[in-house]
């Protein structure tokens, strides 16, 4: 962060954990944050994501009354920061990799949703201790969050997608940058799908 985020967080007595690696890795940063968290449930989201409602957290946490739930997530929602390409292509891209399409090819069970994303997620810390986010997967461009979910689905747990737990999230990418980002994500996700077929 190079703005006032740290100062704002400190004003609310938040614990600040500094990421010291020279090259950013999503899995490593998530593992660092989860390891420092003290609760049984850990909420993960991105710096440029905003909850869609004041009951956002309540919507996600309620599912953990069931001990077979490993994680909860929501597909993100584009807001006014999104580029034209994100709004037009992105919506169709999310539909393309929907749970219905995935279920036709992969013999695992998602209750709903496209997969799993730490753009907006809650996970059980006790399960994370058994299987952390894979930094190697993150080096391929992403998918460490989906790999985590697939691992626990194979162990007999379930993943919940709750639209009430969604966040507003966008990068504001132009056409070529959007296509490049989508390609990197899709190839990373494909590695995970093939691993768990």
């Amino acid at each position: 962060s190079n703005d006032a985020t740290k100062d704002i967080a400190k004003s609310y007595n938040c614990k600040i954990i500094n990421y010291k690696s020279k090259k950013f890795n999503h899995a490593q940063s998530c593992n660092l944050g989860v390891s420092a968290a003290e609760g049984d449930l850990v909420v993960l989201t991105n710096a440029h994501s905003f909850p869609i409602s004041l009951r956002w957290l309540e919507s996600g946490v309620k599912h953990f009354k069931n001990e077979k739930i490993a994680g909860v997530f929501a597909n993100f929602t584009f807001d006014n920061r999104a580029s034209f390409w994100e709004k037009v292509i992105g919506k169709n891209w999310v539909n393309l990799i929907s749970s219905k399409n995935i279920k036709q090819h992969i013999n695992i069970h998602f209750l709903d949703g496209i997969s799993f994303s730490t753009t907006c997620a809650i996970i059980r810390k006790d399960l994370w201790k058994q299987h952390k986010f894979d930094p190697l997967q993150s080096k391929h461009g992403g998918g460490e969050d989906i790999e985590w979910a697939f691992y626990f689905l194979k162990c007999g747990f379930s993943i919940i997608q709750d639209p009430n737990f969604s966040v507003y999230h966008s990068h504001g990418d132009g056409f070529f940058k959007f296509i490049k980002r989508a390609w990197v994500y899709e190839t990373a996700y494909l590695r995970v799908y093939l691993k768990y077929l």
Side-chain angles (χ1 to χ4, degrees):
S1 174
N2 56 12
D3 56 17
T5 300
K6 281 189 179 180
D7 293 332
I8 294 170
K10 285 178 181 176
S11 73
Y12 286 93
N13 296 317
C14 293
K15 182 190 293 185
I16 308 295
I17 306 297
N18 292 307
Y19 182 82
K20 297 179 180 178
S21 180
K22 291 181 180 179
K23 188 171 182 180
F24 184 76
N25 181 294
H26 280 285
Q28 288 177 344
S29 67
C30 285
N31 287 334
L32 182 65
V34 177
S35 67
E38 298 175 7
D40 296 330
L41 301 176
V42 182
V43 181
L44 299 155
T45 188
N46 290 7
H48 51 287
S49 296
F50 302 93
I52 62 168
S53 78
L54 295 176
R55 306 199 68 145
W56 170 77
L57 191 57
E58 179 184 349
S59 298
V61 169
K62 69 182 181 184
H63 297 287
F64 289 93
K65 292 174 183 176
N66 182 342
E67 293 182 356
K68 295 303 289 182
I69 303 301
V72 173
F73 83 107
N75 296 333
F76 59 83
T77 303
F78 291 117
D79 62 7
N80 59 4
R81 298 168 298 156
S83 68
F84 170 80
W85 304 109
E86 286 176 314
K87 290 176 180 176
V88 174
I89 303 176
K91 185 176 181 181
N92 293 321
W93 172 54
V94 168
N95 290 335
L96 178 67
I97 57 173
S98 69
S99 60
K100 290 180 182 177
N101 291 330
I102 290 172
K103 285 175 185 175
Q104 291 174 9
H105 305 287
I106 299 174
N107 188 28
I108 60 173
H109 178 60
F110 278 108
L111 294 186
D112 195 8
I114 61 166
S115 51
F116 187 73
S117 172
T118 53
T119 299
C120 176
I122 306 175
I123 64 170
R124 284 176 44 185
K125 187 166 181 178
D126 62 333
L127 295 182
W128 171 85
K129 287 178 179 178
Q130 297 174 34
H131 184 78
K132 297 178 174 63
F133 295 107
D134 183 1
L136 183 60
Q137 179 66 40
S138 193
K139 284 184 179 179
H140 292 308
E144 69 286 342
D145 39 13
I146 294 176
E147 193 280 332
W148 188 91
F150 271 46
Y151 177 87
F152 286 108
L153 287 166
K154 282 291 189 179
C155 292
F157 290 90
S158 293
I159 300 292
I160 295 280
Q161 187 242 1
D162 185 340
N164 294 316
F165 183 60
S166 182
V167 293
Y168 295 114
H169 173 86
S170 58
H171 294 275
D173 291 341
F175 177 75
F176 291 108
K177 193 169 182 180
F178 175 80
I179 295 299
K180 181 179 178 181
R181 188 187 301 277
W183 174 255
V184 168
Y185 287 166
E186 284 304 296
T187 54
Y189 299 161
L190 182 59
R191 287 188 185 92
V192 177
Y193 300 152
L194 293 175
K195 177 179 177 180
Y196 285 96
L197 275 174

